[in-house]
Amino acid sequence: MTTFTLEAITSASTQYIEKEFFIANHTQSIAITVHAPTHYWLQYYVYDNLGQLRMQYLHKNTPQPVILHEDITHSAPYTFGGELPTGQWKIAILVAKAVTKDGGFAAGEAIGTVDILTNILTTNHHDTICHTIDDFTLQLPTAILADGTKGWLKGDFHTHTIFSDGDLTREENMMMAQRQMLDFFVATDHNIVPTNWPSHVAETIVIPGIEVTAPNGHFNILGVATSPFAKHSIQHLNEEETMVQIINDVAKPALVSINHPFLTVWSWLFKQTKLHQVDSIEIINDPTYADNTAATEQALQAWNILLNDGYRITGIGGSDSHLHPTKKYEGATYPSLIGDPATYVYAEKSAHAILASVKKGHVYVSRVGTLQTDGTVLFGECLATKSGHITVTLEAKQMTIDWVINGKVVQQDTGHKACYHFDFQTDFAWLRIDLRNEDGELVGFTNPYYYGEKTPTLQTWQDVLGQMGVAHD
């Protein structure tokens, strides 16, 4: 057994450790166990003697030991099973003190140890592999029920499991997704990419993703093909240059989505983020979390600025589900559930089709059920004429319906059905529908209809913050 001691964190907020260990010939498995308090944010990544990423781990609820096996059916989730070549391997460990709500750091003590064993008895961690591995590249799941028919699919773009800091297992996530009648969700655990997924429930598509998580902001890679930490060191994750490079490296059809950009200590602070590389922005993040009420309105304001500047960045929602469905955040009326809010995408039922439609803006978000509009133009598309009528019908019986043109509410209706006559006076305009409850809280929105085009002038996230008059430090 090889054991590494993790020293106490004192003045520094983070500690990065690299250690080498030797893998002998004919090794069949590697098992790693972390002994440390779970209030530390502790991640590790294991690289073989060829520099290939083989194991990913976040310390909180993840079952231990984490086993890497030459037989991929015996390897733990979030590992890359297969041949274990002889030679010097490396484990890269990042430890951070627990962040409190006010942005400070919890007091720390001696952290603990990391134990590495080889050739221990293993158990099967999953019954069926849904996602396939090819040269350490995760493939998008094959089309499910894809027959060329398109429709509005209900999903969630931001979810967590016990393999990062969520309460639910992957199987429980699948069950909750079914209970919430989701057609799809994206698995976005913090800084780790799923390498397999239980496929005993075939009705719900699970799209591989990752929430790239740094002290200065979080973003999702939706439809991720491989881990960004196969190339980039976790040591430099909070450096602006590294985060911008990771975003630049995202390979299509994967999408870059900025998460909860104004949510207190989890705000997006990477000001040099190039706007043309952002595919979507999370407007409504877990609405049961109290601080998100104000954060949602700021995200909406930033989105308006981007749209007015000519960008067609898609607005989405994400439950950011962490809690067991029986739990609530302090002061919350409702439990935090996967699929709240729901993001509806008009697409054929396949992972690739869903991502392509998100890129096109064929999306609306709702906490209050479905909505329908008349006509054949989809959200995200261009209107053919400067004037016309749009009627919206809601599943909810009583909502405030805001008709928004270029960021301003031009008409407000109350009920479950409303009609608006648009008559644009300029060669560039966009029209969106926002839904609010009796308390004025945003509970839904569509992506815009567009008329004409405009060449953007804003270049970076800092430019957007400047337009908002927000320091955002």
Side-chain angles (χ1 to χ4, degrees):
M1 180 175 75
T2 302
T3 298
F4 301 123
T5 300
L6 302 174
E7 303 296 335
I9 293 180
T10 53
S11 58
S13 61
T14 61
Q15 180 175 336
Y16 180 75
I17 305 162
E18 278 191 10
K19 297 287 186 180
E20 290 189 343
F21 60 97
F22 185 75
I23 293 301
N25 196 21
H26 304 304
T27 297
Q28 293 182 316
S29 67
I30 300 169
I32 299 182
T33 304
V34 173
H35 303 281
T38 56
H39 65 260
Y40 282 105
W41 183 274
L42 187 153
Q43 304 166 244
Y44 69 68
Y45 301 83
V46 174
Y47 302 85
D48 64 22
N49 63 323
L50 302 175
Q52 298 275 13
L53 177 63
R54 302 301 299 272
M55 303 178 76
Q56 314 163 88
Y57 173 87
L58 177 61
H59 187 61
K60 186 175 182 183
N61 298 325
T62 303
Q64 296 194 86
V66 178
I67 296 172
L68 175 68
H69 201 283
E70 62 180 1
D71 181 347
I72 64 172
T73 64
H74 292 295
S75 279
Y78 299 90
T79 65
F80 299 87
E83 180 185 357
L84 308 182
T86 302
Q88 290 293 124
W89 288 42
K90 179 180 75 174
I91 182 169
I93 306 168
L94 182 71
V95 185
K97 291 181 180 180
V99 180
T100 61
K101 187 176 178 181
D102 62 5
F105 291 97
E109 64 271 6
I111 299 169
T113 61
V114 177
D115 297 336
I116 302 176
L117 295 91
T118 58
N119 292 330
I120 70 167
L121 294 176
T122 61
T123 57
N124 195 343
H125 289 263
H126 45 82
D127 295 326
T128 306
I129 296 175
C130 176
H131 304 154
T132 59
I133 304 298
D134 181 17
D135 296 329
F136 303 101
T137 299
L138 181 65
Q139 304 298 316
L140 285 177
T142 55
I144 300 176
L145 305 179
D147 57 3
T149 302
K150 293 184 177 181
W152 286 106
L153 305 177
K154 181 182 180 182
D156 191 341
F157 285 103
H158 193 168
T159 66
H160 295 281
T161 74
I162 60 170
F163 288 95
S164 61
D165 58 348
D167 287 350
L168 298 183
T169 66
R170 301 180 304 164
E171 291 82 359
E172 288 171 330
N173 264 271
M174 297 292 284
M175 288 188 289
M176 281 304 302
Q178 277 209 307
R179 191 179 304 174
Q180 295 284 85
M181 300 194 315
L182 300 188
D183 296 295
F184 70 91
F185 68 87
V186 187
T188 56
D189 278 314
H190 297 283
N191 290 339
I192 57 177
V193 171
T195 56
N196 59 63
W197 199 275
S199 60
H200 64 283
V201 181
E203 290 82 0
T204 303
I205 296 175
V206 183
I207 301 174
I210 181 175
E211 183 171 20
V212 180
T213 305
N216 281 348
H218 304 182
F219 83 94
N220 278 346
I221 304 176
L222 308 175
V224 65
T226 191
S227 170
F229 305 111
K231 176 180 179 181
H232 299 280
S233 171
I234 195 73
Q235 179 182 12
H236 305 296
L237 187 57
N238 202 40
E239 297 175 5
E240 182 104 28
E241 182 179 350
T242 298
M243 184 64 88
V244 169
Q245 188 59 51
I246 289 175
I247 292 175
N248 185 63
D249 288 347
V250 173
K252 305 307 177 186
L255 304 180
V256 170
S257 183
I258 305 300
N259 293 341
H260 42 68
F262 296 94
L263 181 56
T264 59
V265 296
W266 304 285
S267 296
W268 187 254
L269 303 179
F270 292 102
K271 297 181 180 180
Q272 298 310 309
T273 305
K274 295 179 176 60
L275 298 174
H276 73 271
Q277 294 178 325
V278 177
D279 299 297
S280 65
I281 183 170
E282 190 178 62
I283 305 300
I284 303 181
N285 174 271
D286 189 347
T288 71
Y289 189 72
D291 291 334
N292 264 323
T293 301
T296 293
E297 294 301 327
Q298 285 189 289
L300 198 66
Q301 182 184 356
W303 191 32
N304 287 342
I305 290 170
L306 290 164
L307 296 174
N308 283 342
D309 195 50
Y311 284 99
R312 296 191 179 184
I313 294 174
T314 302
I316 62 173
S319 70
D320 202 356
S321 59
H322 283 80
L323 302 184
H324 191 275
T326 59
K327 295 181 181 179
K328 301 176 185 176
Y329 288 111
E330 182 179 353
T333 304
Y334 302 101
S336 175
L337 300 176
I338 187 173
D340 182 17
T343 302
Y344 295 83
V345 181
Y346 188 81
E348 185 180 359
K349 196 170 183 182
S350 77
H352 285 283
I354 291 167
L355 295 176
S357 287
V358 171
K359 179 68 175 175
K360 295 175 183 176
H362 301 336
V363 173
Y364 72 90
V365 175
S366 175
R367 299 188 65 201
V368 291
T370 59
L371 63 83
Q372 293 181 333
T373 59
D374 59 349
T376 58
V377 179
L378 291 169
F379 306 127
E381 293 184 341
C382 286
L383 297 166
T385 60
K386 281 190 173 184
S387 62
H389 290 84
I390 298 174
T391 300
V392 62
T393 305
L394 311 179
E395 182 178 342
K397 298 301 181 185
Q398 192 76 8
M399 283 291 130
T400 297
I401 302 170
D402 289 343
W403 300 88
V404 181
I405 293 182
N406 295 353
K408 296 181 180 180
V409 178
V410 294
Q411 179 175 304
Q412 193 171 74
D413 298 296
T414 301
H416 76 282
K417 187 173 184 178
C419 180
Y420 178 70
H421 175 76
F422 63 90
D423 187 10
F424 302 133
Q425 300 300 308
T426 60
D427 291 332
F428 169 78
W430 56 267
L431 167 64
R432 188 182 70 226
I433 304 167
D434 290 350
L435 306 178
R436 296 184 181 272
N437 62 18
E438 59 184 7
D439 297 323
E441 181 183 3
L442 187 74
V443 293
F445 61 87
T446 71
N447 273 265
Y449 297 105
Y450 297 96
Y451 181 79
E453 295 184 356
K454 181 179 180 181
T455 301
T457 59
L458 304 178
Q459 300 297 317
T460 66
W461 183 243
Q462 185 167 353
D463 294 337
V464 176
L465 298 178
Q467 292 276 317
M468 296 176 67
V470 175
H472 211 11
D473 294 321

